[in-house]
Amino acid sequence: MCEKLPPKEHDTTFKFLFADKEEILLLVKDILHYTWADNIEEDTIELVKTNYVTQQFSQVEADVVAKAKLKDKEVYFYILIENQSKVKREMQQKILKYMISLWAEEIRKGVQILPAIIPIAVYNGIGERWNVSTDLMEAFDIFKDDVFRYRVVDIIELDVKKLLEREEDVLTPIVFYLEQAREDRSELIGRLLEVEKNLKKLSKKNVDRFLEWSYHIIRPRLAEEQKSEYDGIAKRVKQEGVEAMGEFISNVARLLDEAKTKDFLAGKFEATIEFAKRLIQKGFSDEEVAELTELEIEKVKELRKSMVN
């Protein structure tokens, strides 16, 4: 009677076999005939750890993971070898789990470009031949063309006016329309007044969500002394609902306009001060500087004194 074989004997065998970099090179070059295998720098092949901790703190362990480098590239890639003695129907999910764990490890290291991972299954089953698809996209039920391709919604380039014309109880068109002008207070004021009719059609839930957005986007664009007034106006909308939205919009538009004017005057004054400093440095008298900048003579003297100190 044959002696009982040790559990997972094939794992032990192939882990031992592919612990040698020459064997890995032979596998990808002479058995699988990968076109890029001729460019592998043999000296750069190294085995790396095969167990990773997921966000759920569970262990994910592959059989063999090797790291290598191509001769004409300054980037590393990985070869993931999984040993199987039985046909595994969930092989795609298993390989994807390993790949995601390995990429997560690289991200934790701070890499900017993820390395390529070449997955390989070494199967030594005697009876059943391997008949599971090797296309990892087959692991997904639907939307296979969209899984590893993301699309960009460029808010600035988006034409949302047609969506606003529907005047539905949705927040996205309103927020996108205002986001397009968030750095231009004059335009933002105009757009706030423009979407007032849309805001008045929102449900209580979406009114609260709009106020949340406004708190993080509009409120910071006000002067510090204006923020308490803003908070009071927003509080009334929360209490009274959409009926108070007209008052909210008109008052916020006023506050934004006041903040814009204040910033303009502050910027103009700062520019005048800088001009006065340059005149002082060039040797102009206090009286000449005051005349050219329209600053009070006392302010010019104070400025000159601060420059000397």
Side-chain angles (χ1 to χ4, degrees), residues 18 21-34 37 79-81 83 120-122:
F18 294 117
K21 63 183 179 181
E22 285 80 9
E23 306 296 343
I24 293 174
L25 190 59
L26 181 138
L27 177 66
V28 298
K29 183 177 178 181
D30 299 317
I31 296 178
L32 293 173
H33 305 292
Y34 279 114
I79 300 170
L80 167 67
I81 303 174
N83 309 307
I120 299 169
V122 176

Side-chain angles (χ1 to χ4, degrees), residues 228-291:
S228 59
E229 183 180 355
Y230 170 91
D231 293 340
I233 300 166
K235 185 177 180 180
R236 283 199 294 277
V237 178
K238 277 187 170 292
Q239 292 172 342
E240 301 174 21
V242 73
E243 290 76 14
M245 186 56 75
E247 178 191 357
F248 175 84
I249 293 299
S250 60
N251 279 294
V252 168
R254 172 181 56 80
L255 290 173
L256 282 169
D257 188 58
E258 290 173 359
K260 180 188 69 170
T261 302
K262 183 176 181 180
D263 284 353
F264 172 76
L265 293 175
K268 186 177 179 181
F269 180 73
E270 185 65 30
T272 301
I273 293 296
E274 291 302 316
F275 180 47
K277 286 181 179 180
R278 289 198 297 272
L279 292 175
I280 292 171
Q281 289 171 343
K282 289 181 179 294
F284 284 77
S285 67
D286 291 347
E287 290 74 15
E288 289 172 325
V289 173
E291 182 180 353

